[in-house]
PDB file of all heavy atoms in Angstrom:
ATOM      1  N   ALA Z  58      96.647 116.403 110.538  1.00 93.00           N
ATOM      2  CA  ALA Z  58      97.310 117.109 109.445  1.00 93.00           C
ATOM      3  C   ALA Z  58      97.031 116.307 108.126  1.00 93.00           C
ATOM      4  O   ALA Z  58      96.860 116.982 107.050  1.00 93.00           O
ATOM      5  CB  ALA Z  58      98.816 117.214 109.744  1.00 93.00           C
ATOM      6  N   LEU Z  59      97.064 115.012 108.198  1.00 93.00           N
ATOM      7  CA  LEU Z  59      96.832 114.193 106.993  1.00 93.00           C
ATOM      8  C   LEU Z  59      95.397 114.485 106.497  1.00 93.00           C
ATOM      9  O   LEU Z  59      95.209 114.569 105.243  1.00 93.00           O
ATOM     10  CB  LEU Z  59      97.072 112.718 107.329  1.00 93.00           C
ATOM     11  CG  LEU Z  59      96.848 111.743 106.198  1.00 93.00           C
ATOM     12  CD1 LEU Z  59      97.927 110.579 106.252  1.00 93.00           C
ATOM     13  CD2 LEU Z  59      95.448 111.202 106.206  1.00 93.00           C
ATOM     14  N   ILE Z  60      94.453 114.435 107.346  1.00 95.00           N
ATOM     15  CA  ILE Z  60      93.052 114.734 106.966  1.00 95.00           C
ATOM     16  C   ILE Z  60      92.951 116.097 106.256  1.00 95.00           C
ATOM     17  O   ILE Z  60      92.328 116.171 105.180  1.00 95.00           O
ATOM     18  CB  ILE Z  60      92.170 114.665 108.194  1.00 95.00           C
ATOM     19  CG1 ILE Z  60      92.097 113.285 108.830  1.00 95.00           C
ATOM     20  CG2 ILE Z  60      90.729 115.097 107.841  1.00 95.00           C
ATOM     21  CD1 ILE Z  60      91.511 113.221 110.220  1.00 95.00           C
ATOM     22  N   CYS Z  61      93.568 117.094 106.851  1.00 95.00           N
ATOM     23  CA  CYS Z  61      93.536 118.425 106.202  1.00 95.00           C
ATOM     24  C   CYS Z  61      94.166 118.420 104.833  1.00 95.00           C
ATOM     25  O   CYS Z  61      93.592 118.964 103.876  1.00 95.00           O
ATOM     26  CB  CYS Z  61      94.262 119.411 107.135  1.00 95.00           C
ATOM     27  SG  CYS Z  61      93.457 119.786 108.670  1.00 95.00           S
ATOM     28  N   SER Z  62      95.310 117.812 104.717  1.00 94.00           N
ATOM     29  CA  SER Z  62      95.948 117.845 103.417  1.00 94.00           C
ATOM     30  C   SER Z  62      95.204 117.011 102.351  1.00 94.00           C
ATOM     31  O   SER Z  62      95.217 117.492 101.186  1.00 94.00           O
ATOM     32  CB  SER Z  62      97.447 117.258 103.575  1.00 94.00           C
ATOM     33  OG  SER Z  62      97.395 115.888 103.897  1.00 94.00           O
ATOM     34  N   ARG Z  63      94.618 115.999 102.771  1.00 94.00           N
ATOM     35  CA  ARG Z  63      93.847 115.160 101.774  1.00 94.00           C
ATOM     36  C   ARG Z  63      92.483 115.751 101.350  1.00 94.00           C
ATOM     37  O   ARG Z  63      91.965 115.484 100.254  1.00 94.00           O
ATOM     38  CB  ARG Z  63      93.710 113.745 102.259  1.00 94.00           C
ATOM     39  CG  ARG Z  63      95.035 112.997 102.338  1.00 94.00           C
ATOM     40  CD  ARG Z  63      94.896 111.587 102.574  1.00 94.00           C
ATOM     41  NE  ARG Z  63      96.232 110.866 102.629  1.00 94.00           N
ATOM     42  CZ  ARG Z  63      96.415 109.575 102.798  1.00 94.00           C
ATOM     43  NH1 ARG Z  63      95.312 108.781 102.954  1.00 94.00           N
ATOM     44  NH2 ARG Z  63      97.623 109.077 102.837  1.00 94.00           N
ATOM     45  N   LEU Z  64      91.860 116.506 102.285  1.00 96.00           N
ATOM     46  CA  LEU Z  64      90.532 117.006 101.955  1.00 96.00           C
ATOM     47  C   LEU Z  64      90.479 118.483 101.675  1.00 96.00           C
ATOM     48  O   LEU Z  64      89.451 118.993 101.390  1.00 96.00           O
ATOM     49  CB  LEU Z  64      89.605 116.684 103.198  1.00 96.00           C
ATOM     50  CG  LEU Z  64      89.412 115.191 103.490  1.00 96.00           C
ATOM     51  CD1 LEU Z  64      88.436 115.070 104.641  1.00 96.00           C
ATOM     52  CD2 LEU Z  64      88.877 114.444 102.260  1.00 96.00           C
ATOM     53  N   PHE Z  65      91.636 119.137 101.734  1.00 94.00           N
ATOM     54  CA  PHE Z  65      91.684 120.571 101.513  1.00 94.00           C
ATOM     55  C   PHE Z  65      91.001 121.022 100.183  1.00 94.00           C
ATOM     56  O   PHE Z  65      90.171 121.884 100.136  1.00 94.00           O
ATOM     57  CB  PHE Z  65      93.129 121.076 101.567  1.00 94.00           C
ATOM     58  CG  PHE Z  65      93.341 122.510 101.216  1.00 94.00           C
ATOM     59  CD1 PHE Z  65      93.144 123.482 102.261  1.00 94.00           C
ATOM     60  CD2 PHE Z  65      93.731 122.924  99.946  1.00 94.00           C
ATOM     61  CE1 PHE Z  65      93.311 124.840 101.976  1.00 94.00           C
ATOM     62  CE2 PHE Z  65      93.925 124.295  99.683  1.00 94.00           C
ATOM     63  CZ  PHE Z  65      93.717 125.214 100.716  1.00 94.00           C
ATOM     64  N   LYS Z  66      91.455 120.313  99.119  1.00 94.00           N
ATOM     65  CA  LYS Z  66      90.878 120.708  97.774  1.00 94.00           C
ATOM     66  C   LYS Z  66      89.375 120.422  97.671  1.00 94.00           C
ATOM     67  O   LYS Z  66      88.623 121.069  96.937  1.00 94.00           O
ATOM     68  CB  LYS Z  66      91.631 120.008  96.698  1.00 94.00           C
ATOM     69  CG  LYS Z  66      93.081 120.505  96.533  1.00 94.00           C
ATOM     70  CD  LYS Z  66      93.748 119.817  95.321  1.00 94.00           C
ATOM     71  CE  LYS Z  66      95.167 120.362  95.173  1.00 94.00           C
ATOM     72  NZ  LYS Z  66      95.846 119.690  94.031  1.00 94.00           N
ATOM     73  N   ARG Z  67      88.950 119.352  98.324  1.00 96.00           N
ATOM     74  CA  ARG Z  67      87.485 119.050  98.280  1.00 96.00           C
ATOM     75  C   ARG Z  67      86.592 120.183  98.959  1.00 96.00           C
ATOM     76  O   ARG Z  67      85.605 120.538  98.503  1.00 96.00           O
ATOM     77  CB  ARG Z  67      87.200 117.732  98.992  1.00 96.00           C
ATOM     78  CG  ARG Z  67      87.911 116.557  98.372  1.00 96.00           C
ATOM     79  CD  ARG Z  67      87.751 116.497  96.826  1.00 96.00           C
ATOM     80  NE  ARG Z  67      86.376 116.440  96.413  1.00 96.00           N
ATOM     81  CZ  ARG Z  67      86.018 116.469  95.128  1.00 96.00           C
ATOM     82  NH1 ARG Z  67      86.918 116.630  94.212  1.00 96.00           N
ATOM     83  NH2 ARG Z  67      84.705 116.481  94.833  1.00 96.00           N
ATOM     84  N   VAL Z  68      87.135 120.671 100.090  1.00 95.00           N
ATOM     85  CA  VAL Z  68      86.429 121.817 100.760  1.00 95.00           C
ATOM     86  C   VAL Z  68      86.406 123.007  99.798  1.00 95.00           C
ATOM     87  O   VAL Z  68      85.356 123.642  99.696  1.00 95.00           O
ATOM     88  CB  VAL Z  68      87.106 122.155 102.129  1.00 95.00           C
ATOM     89  CG1 VAL Z  68      86.392 123.290 102.767  1.00 95.00           C
ATOM     90  CG2 VAL Z  68      87.182 120.943 103.044  1.00 95.00           C
ATOM     91  N   GLN Z  69      87.526 123.269  99.210  1.00 93.00           N
ATOM     92  CA  GLN Z  69      87.594 124.419  98.276  1.00 93.00           C
ATOM     93  C   GLN Z  69      86.610 124.163  97.073  1.00 93.00           C
ATOM     94  O   GLN Z  69      85.924 125.103  96.665  1.00 93.00           O
ATOM     95  CB  GLN Z  69      88.992 124.614  97.741  1.00 93.00           C
ATOM     96  CG  GLN Z  69      89.949 125.163  98.810  1.00 93.00           C
ATOM     97  CD  GLN Z  69      91.276 125.606  98.151  1.00 93.00           C
ATOM     98  OE1 GLN Z  69      91.828 124.836  97.349  1.00 93.00           O
ATOM     99  NE2 GLN Z  69      91.769 126.810  98.458  1.00 93.00           N
ATOM    100  N   THR Z  70      86.687 122.982  96.538  1.00 94.00           N
ATOM    101  CA  THR Z  70      85.849 122.717  95.340  1.00 94.00           C
ATOM    102  C   THR Z  70      84.315 122.824  95.713  1.00 94.00           C
ATOM    103  O   THR Z  70      83.549 123.286  94.852  1.00 94.00           O
ATOM    104  CB  THR Z  70      86.082 121.269  94.833  1.00 94.00           C
ATOM    105  OG1 THR Z  70      87.501 121.154  94.446  1.00 94.00           O
ATOM    106  CG2 THR Z  70      85.201 120.890  93.681  1.00 94.00           C
TER     107      THR Z  70
END
Side-chain angles (χ1 to χ4, degrees):
L59 180 143
I60 296 168
C61 290
S62 65
R63 293 190 179 182
L64 297 182
F65 176 81
K66 289 185 179 178
R67 300 311 304 174
V68 178
Q69 286 191 315
T70 299

